[in-house]
Amino acid sequence: MSGRLLSPREEARVGQVFVLAAKEIIQRQHSGEQVRNDGFFNSADNGRCDAQEVWESILLKSQREPEEKKLPYVAHLLAAISFDPSISVHMAHQLTKVAEQLTYRQFCILKISMRKENYRLRKGSYRGQQEFGLDLLQLLYEYHDLYSKGYINFGGSAALALTDVDPGNTVVQGMGAHTYNLMKLQEIPPEDLYPVIQWLH
């Protein structure tokens, strides 16, 4: 990576993810965990191993990530992949793509939805509501995008439009749940959740 042409900002992003991931890997090894031994770190015929491929993909995406608040969670993902043999190289690339495509506010939505009993969230859709402030409208777009990708559902109710979003009955599922767990989104600080929660009552 150091041989690539990186701006100082890009180098800082890549360095942050690399250092945080390496630190977590060392801590987990000191706690008695073993890195995966399913061949993930073994070189293939082309001289590269799956680990190299995945790490490079994650670090290159970190290089271009403008939302730097996402980077510590990307580092968690990189570390988690290094220990979990149930994550194939294909799933690792998919998770990396998810991490790249979602906004930091969508990370916050996933945490809020996983811990929805802790907040006074609106229960019920927005059907019939006549006016929407721009802040709420943008937030509903982010909810609906998560729904369209299959990362959340609204308790079985179809969400054909933004007004079908139901914050209080949101359930995190599938790749959304994997993203939440592997990226340790539970560590998102409360102060980052408040700007989202205030529009969901």
Side-chain angles (χ1 to χ4, degrees):
M1 290 295 296
S2 63
R4 298 180 182 274
L5 294 176
L6 301 178
S7 71
R9 188 70 257 160
E10 290 173 334
E11 190 173 358
R13 291 170 186 155
V14 171
Q16 180 183 0
V17 172
F18 183 86
V19 169
L20 289 175
K23 182 178 179 181
E24 181 172 342
I25 288 170
I26 291 170
Q27 288 174 337
R28 291 175 69 157
Q29 287 180 305
H30 286 169
S31 298
E33 293 187 60
Q34 299 293 321
V35 294
R36 55 195 296 175
N37 60 0
D38 58 341
F40 187 69
F41 293 100
N42 296 342
S43 295
D45 293 337
N46 62 2
R48 282 169 60 83
C49 62
D50 290 342
Q52 271 183 291
E53 186 178 305
V54 171
W55 274 60
E56 183 171 344
S57 176
I58 292 175
L59 292 174
L60 285 174
K61 287 177 172 61
S62 302
Q63 168 195 342
R64 299 185 294 268
E65 179 53 63
E67 286 194 284
E68 295 184 3
K69 280 189 172 185
K70 290 170 58 176
L71 297 181
Y73 308 100
V74 173
H76 286 316
L77 175 62
L78 198 158
I81 291 170
S82 301
F83 286 87
D84 191 342
S86 70
I87 303 174
S88 68
V89 65
H90 307 292
M91 184 177 179
H93 283 306
Q94 187 177 11
L95 287 162
T96 304
K97 187 176 180 181
V98 171
E100 178 188 28
Q101 291 181 338
L102 298 188
T103 66
Y104 183 70
R105 189 157 69 165
Q106 286 177 312
F107 284 4
C108 293
I109 289 172
L110 290 176
K111 177 174 179 179
I112 291 167
S113 301
M114 289 291 281
R115 305 286 181 88
K116 58 182 178 289
E117 66 279 357
N118 296 335
Y119 312 106
R120 291 190 306 105
L121 302 179
R122 176 192 181 106
K123 288 197 173 184
S125 70
Y126 292 83
R127 295 174 202 155
Q129 184 162 323
Q130 299 299 315
E131 296 184 4
F132 293 86
L134 185 58
D135 291 305
L136 175 58
L137 193 61
Q138 290 174 334
L139 189 55
L140 294 183
Y141 270 112
E142 296 203 88
Y143 261 95
H144 200 267
D145 181 59
L146 289 169
Y147 171 82
S148 299
K149 288 179 166 69
Y151 303 157
I152 62 173
N153 69 66
F154 301 114
S157 299
L160 303 179
L162 295 183
T163 52
D164 294 322
V165 170
D166 185 348
N169 289 305
T170 302
V171 177
V172 180
Q173 63 181 12
M175 194 58 67
H178 287 306
T179 300
Y180 175 85
N181 291 321
L182 295 171
M183 298 186 76
K184 296 187 178 181
L185 299 186
Q186 68 270 20
E187 295 182 1
I188 294 177
E191 58 267 24
D192 287 352
L193 304 180
Y194 298 147
V196 178
I197 294 168
Q198 67 174 326
W199 299 106
L200 301 177
H201 296 312

